[in-house]
């Protein structure tokens, strides 16, 4: 019995310790477009060389290969497409995780998707799209447009934005639009059940449509009101008006403040 138990523990320890890595570099000659589709893992993006995309996948509790995590990577010109597939049926002891790390040129367009993980981006200029089924989104020092969606997580971003579309099914949203941000078209921030805070620079013009089902709306700027007053709703022009700025929460407080 003791020998059997010892063998069992050795196998369990082997399962816990098992890890694998995959690395690839892609040379680019102009602003790249990078697409990541990760079945179940965290995605982290930072800036690196201006002439290449560095991609790394690290697993814990999984092997990388035909019988484990499969990676399909392709490059067409300045477009890099990486798909990471997790085995549907898998049994072993210990922790299981996948982490994707990208180093991209400072000017890059990104399309990042994970079914169950956190996503972070830092200091990238371009058009960025982020989707996670069950994780947090963190984006720092962006410049351009951002669309971020989380089924069940918080969203925290800052940068200079021309367009902003942030949606969480059940999480808080906090966004800092830095100096130079402008509404090239409508902005939208919505949460099914969470607080929303947006900070914008002085002089930022918009037609504000803010509504919460069960919370308060706070605006730190003068607003020229329009329509009838209702509890939990503020509609009007901010700094003379502009494109529509939508802030909606099913059950949370809304705040529009100064950046």
């Amino acid at each position: 019995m003791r020998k059997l138990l010892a063998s069992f523990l050795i196998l369990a320890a082997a399962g816990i310790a098992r890890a694998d890595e995959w690395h690839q570099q892609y040379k680019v000659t102009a602003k790249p477009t990078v697409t990541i589709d990760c079945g179940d893992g965290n995605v982290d993006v930072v800036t690196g060389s201006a002439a290449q995309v560095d991609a790394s996948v690290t697993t814990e509790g999984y092997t990388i290969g035909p019988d484990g995590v499969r990676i399909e990577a392709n490059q067409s010109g300045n477009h890099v497409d990486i798909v990471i597939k997790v085995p549907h049926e898998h049994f072993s002891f210990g922790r299981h995780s996948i982490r994707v790390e990208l180093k991209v040129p400072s000017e890059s367009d990104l399309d990042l998707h994970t079914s169950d993980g956190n996503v972070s981006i830092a200091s990238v200029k371009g058009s960025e799209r982020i989707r996670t089924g069950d994780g947090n989104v963190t984006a720092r020092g962006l410049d351009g447009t951002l669309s971020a969606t989380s089924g069940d997580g918080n969203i925290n971003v800052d940068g200079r934005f021309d367009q902003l579309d942030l949606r969480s099914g059940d999480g808080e949203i906090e966004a800092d639009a830095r100096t130079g941000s402008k509404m090239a078209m409508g902005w939208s921030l919505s949460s099914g059940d969470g607080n929303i805070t947006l900070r914008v620079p002085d002089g930022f013009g918009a037609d504000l449509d803010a509504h919460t089902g069960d919370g308060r709306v706070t605006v730190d700027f003068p607003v020229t009101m329009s329509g009838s007053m209702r509890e939990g709703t503020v509609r009007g022009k901010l700094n003379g008006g502009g494109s529509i700025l939508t802030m909606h929460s099913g059950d949370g407080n809304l705040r529009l403040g100064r950046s």
Side-chain angles (χ1 to χ4, degrees):
M1 178 62 74
R2 289 182 179 179
K3 290 184 178 179
L4 181 61
L5 178 59
S7 299
F8 178 82
L9 292 175
I10 290 171
L11 290 173
I16 292 171
R18 184 170 54 188
D20 213 344
E21 294 183 354
W22 174 91
H23 304 279
Q24 190 61 265
Q25 293 181 337
Y26 304 92
K27 298 297 183 180
V28 294
T29 58
K31 181 180 182 180
T33 298
V34 182
T35 301
I36 298 290
D37 191 345
C38 181
D40 183 5
N42 297 328
V43 180
D44 298 315
V45 183
V46 298
T47 55
S49 169
Q52 70 183 32
V53 174
D54 294 332
S56 298
V57 178
T58 304
T59 66
E60 184 176 353
Y62 293 116
T63 57
I64 297 176
D67 297 326
V69 173
R70 290 178 295 139
I71 301 174
E72 299 174 1
N74 297 285
Q75 180 179 12
S76 176
N78 291 309
H79 181 87
V80 177
D81 184 35
I82 301 174
V83 179
I84 301 158
K85 297 182 178 181
V86 181
H88 293 294
E89 295 182 3
H90 181 85
F91 175 78
S92 68
F93 298 97
R95 173 183 169 83
H96 297 80
S97 67
I98 299 172
R99 182 180 180 186
V100 182
E101 296 177 276
L102 289 178
K103 289 184 179 180
V104 300
S106 58
E107 293 193 22
S108 299
D109 293 334
L110 305 174
D111 187 348
L112 312 174
H113 172 242
T114 176
S115 299
D116 183 12
N118 301 322
V119 180
S120 69
I121 302 179
S123 305
V124 182
K125 180 178 181 180
S127 176
E128 325 304 348
R129 185 185 184 198
I130 303 171
R131 293 163 292 153
T132 173
D134 184 15
N136 299 322
V137 175
T138 305
R140 301 295 187 198
L142 298 192
D143 188 344
T145 69
L146 173 62
S147 172
T149 303
S150 175
D152 184 15
N154 300 323
I155 299 175
N156 195 314
V157 306
D158 71 59
R160 192 210 66 81
F161 299 111
D162 297 314
Q163 184 182 355
L164 202 57
D165 185 2
L166 308 177
R167 304 173 188 272
S168 176
D170 184 18
E172 297 194 350
I173 296 175
E174 185 168 357
D176 280 284
R178 302 303 186 184
T179 300
S181 295
K182 60 184 185 298
M183 299 183 69
M185 57 192 307
W187 289 16
S188 178
L189 293 82
S190 65
S191 175
D193 184 16
N195 300 326
I196 300 176
T197 299
L198 172 63
R199 301 180 185 92
V200 297
D202 288 328
F204 188 87
D207 282 6
L208 177 63
D209 178 3
H211 174 74
T212 175
D214 185 13
R216 295 181 302 170
V217 180
T218 304
V219 181
D220 294 346
F221 297 91
V223 177
T224 303
M225 301 294 291
S226 63
S228 58
M229 296 286 293
R230 292 191 298 166
E231 185 176 0
T233 300
V234 174
R235 291 190 175 95
K237 294 186 179 297
L238 182 72
N239 291 314
S243 297
I244 297 176
L245 169 58
T246 302
M247 299 176 66
H248 285 179
S249 177
D251 184 15
N253 297 321
L254 308 180
R255 178 161 191 165
L256 180 60
R258 287 181 167 85
S259 61

